[in-house]
Amino acid sequence: MRVMLDLIEHHRGGEPCGIASVCSAHPLVIEAALRHALRVDAPVVLFEATCNQVNQDGGYTGMTPVDFVRFVHGIADAVGFDRARIALGGDHLGPNPWTALGADAAMDKAEAMVAAYVAAGFRKIHLDCSMACEGDPVPLPEATIVARAVRLCRAAEAAHAAAGGEPPVYVIGTEVPVPGGASEAIEGLAVTTPEAALATIDAHRAAFADAGLGDAWRRVIASVVQPGVEFDHHDVIDYRPQAARALSEAVLSVPGMVFEAHSTDYQTPDALAALVRDHFAILKVGPGLTFALREALWALDAIERETVAPEARASLRDVAVARMHAQPGHWQRYYHASGAQLERDLSYSLSDRIRYYWPDPQIEQARERLFDNLRAQPPSIALLGQYLPHALRALREGRADADPRSLAMAHVATVLDDYHRACHPHHEHH
């Protein structure tokens, strides 16, 4: 994937450039990212799907890799965005969805998944076999993790040989501490040590060489590490450059590579820029974008309460929370509060478990009705100023129109702006 290899080359050449990886399957988030890219003239937009979201069995979105590509391309065609400027990645590709199976069966599934991703056109492949399968020792020894990553790389290379087109680039490593290593709370968040980061890279390099994958190794562009950024339900751990300095400098001894940072959601613009400058040049963001979408939807719901007669209201927020209570599967294991605190978590938790509920037909119907109501009765400047000030500013500056879809996407774009500025510090901003 030339565009990613070029980015790494520029970064390694001393330019503080990076790329944001949009990890969301929500159509409004994807559309917002594409419209934002048109506005700022970004050369490429990177979307990633995870192994749990999208796989050959359909994942929790019900999409196979081919379906996901078709889905993103369909949105791009509708907004007039050139498909050639879209890069697609697969995140944490490995046996994770099938850890209830023994390692052999789980790895067979993982190989099939990686091959399906590459065949469908995904060209940024994160090989992550860090999770223990049925019968595996916990934690999994690094040698086992590396040997399994090699198996998956081989499957990806074979799929590419059959499919043709640009060769895939790879990301190795994982930021997830070994099971039992980190508790639910994040106070004790540990920055990856330089020794551990380099050992992971060295082990993979040696194993790729032994497996005859030297050519593929030249396309390993990044390793995932923990630079000291994380969020839980209510708090964000902000990036502290001092604490990550030794880790940051360690990658300079590895030709052609940068670090990839996961969970960069909710970081400040300055923190994002510092991450990129410190060689954590690939920034993953997911929940932060759907969280912003939820903020916009709740704001539009509040405007509806002020402007639409009670019997005509969609009451999206009430419908969504009621559905979460009726189908608690996606949040029950995560939110342990009760009463008023649980109600706040359902709506406002930074872990944004509500994102799994947007496709629910009753919720989607309420969202449609809300938008129809606000189209029939467009909100005043004063109400937008009260509830959606960023979108109002976009409206007045001609970057959005008064349609509720456009207002919601304008709000999401404020997050995308922070990432764009961090990744393109010398770019002209429109």
Side-chain angles (χ1 to χ4, degrees):
M1 194 148 80
R2 197 65 252 169
V3 58
M4 292 299 292
L5 293 166
D6 287 347
L7 170 79
I8 305 305
E9 204 177 310
H10 282 292
H11 184 95
R12 293 294 309 227
E15 210 182 300
C17 56
I19 190 166
S21 165
V22 174
C23 306
S24 177
H26 196 292
L28 276 175
V29 169
I30 289 172
E31 184 174 336
L34 293 170
R35 291 188 182 281
H36 176 265
L38 283 176
R39 176 164 62 78
V40 300
D41 198 25
V44 66
V45 182
L46 171 60
F47 293 109
E48 299 210 36
T50 68
C51 59
N52 291 321
Q53 248 178 348
V54 172
N55 59 50
Q56 70 273 33
D57 301 333
Y60 68 73
T61 58
M63 285 190 270
T64 64
V66 168
D67 295 331
F68 185 82
V69 174
R70 202 175 288 137
F71 167 66
V72 171
H73 283 171
I75 297 169
D77 294 348
V79 303
F81 192 87
D82 179 4
R83 290 178 178 193
R85 284 167 64 190
I86 296 174
L88 295 167
D91 198 20
H92 295 292
L93 300 190
N96 195 49
W98 305 287
T99 51
L101 304 174
D104 284 341
M107 284 301 295
D108 286 345
K109 299 282 279 185
E111 283 187 355
M113 172 174 65
V114 166
Y117 265 81
V118 173
F122 288 79
R123 285 296 177 268
K124 177 180 177 289
I125 304 294
H126 175 207
L127 306 170
D128 181 8
C129 299
S130 60
M131 56 298 294
C133 301
E134 180 59 36
D136 276 337
V138 178
L140 211 52
E142 177 132 73
T144 308
I145 295 173
V146 171
R148 291 178 184 176
V150 164
R151 264 185 78 173
L152 295 188
C153 181
R154 217 180 250 132
E157 290 290 288
H160 169 253
E166 286 195 275
V169 297
Y170 297 102
V171 175
I172 56 169
T174 186
E175 85 294 9
V176 182
V178 292
S183 64
E184 289 270 325
I186 55 173
E187 294 89 64
L189 183 72
V191 174
T192 306
T193 65
E195 296 75 20
L198 292 175
T200 293
I201 293 169
D202 289 340
H204 281 82
R205 185 197 290 114
F208 273 56
D210 290 348
L213 291 168
D215 183 54
W217 180 259
R218 282 192 285 279
R219 287 178 272 114
V220 175
I221 56 167
S223 188
V224 178
V225 290
Q226 175 48 272
V229 301
E230 191 52 270
F231 59 90
D232 63 9
H233 301 322
H234 309 120
D235 296 296
V236 180
I237 302 253
D238 288 322
Y239 178 57
R240 290 182 22 251
Q242 275 311 106
R245 173 145 298 148
L247 173 62
S248 161
E249 288 167 357
V251 81
L252 297 176
S253 67
V254 185
M257 275 177 81
V258 295
F259 285 134
E260 176 169 287
H262 291 211
S263 302
T264 68
D265 312 69
Y266 314 114
Q267 292 290 314
T268 65
D270 286 349
L272 293 173
L275 280 162
V276 171
R277 181 200 66 218
D278 293 346
H279 318 303
F280 306 99
I282 303 170
L283 303 175
K284 291 289 183 81
V285 57
L289 294 167
T290 40
F291 184 90
L293 176 66
R294 195 268 320 142
E295 286 179 330
L297 292 173
W298 273 200
L300 293 167
D301 174 271
I303 290 170
E304 182 189 53
R305 285 172 204 226
E306 303 235 26
T307 56
V308 174
E311 64 280 2
R313 285 177 203 156
S315 302
L316 169 64
R317 186 171 168 175
D318 293 342
V319 170
V321 172
R323 292 301 294 150
M324 290 179 83
H325 279 295
Q327 305 272 339
H330 289 299
W331 59 263
Q332 214 161 21
R333 293 205 314 281
Y334 300 87
Y335 302 158
H336 305 302
S338 56
Q341 183 58 53
L342 175 63
E343 295 309 306
R344 282 195 293 276
D345 286 347
L346 290 173
S347 278
Y348 298 118
S349 165
L350 298 176
S351 24
D352 190 50
R353 305 298 300 175
I354 196 171
R355 71 183 181 278
Y356 297 97
Y357 292 86
W358 297 125
D360 178 283
Q362 289 177 38
I363 297 177
E364 178 55 13
Q365 202 178 350
R367 185 198 62 74
E368 280 288 351
R369 188 170 171 196
L370 168 65
F371 283 17
D372 286 343
N373 283 344
L374 296 181
R375 282 178 187 126
Q377 210 166 328
S380 68
I381 282 182
L383 280 172
L384 287 175
Q386 176 64 47
Y387 292 110
L388 275 175
H390 296 306
L392 172 61
R393 186 169 170 185
L395 173 67
R396 299 193 73 189
E397 290 175 1
R399 291 179 279 117
D401 59 48
D403 190 87
R405 267 181 81 83
S406 182
L407 295 169
M409 287 191 288
H411 186 76
V412 173
T414 58
V415 179
L416 295 164
D417 270 332
D418 290 344
Y419 280 86
H420 182 73
R421 288 196 183 94
C423 291
H424 304 275
H426 305 308
H427 197 275
E428 271 314 304
H429 295 294
H430 315 292

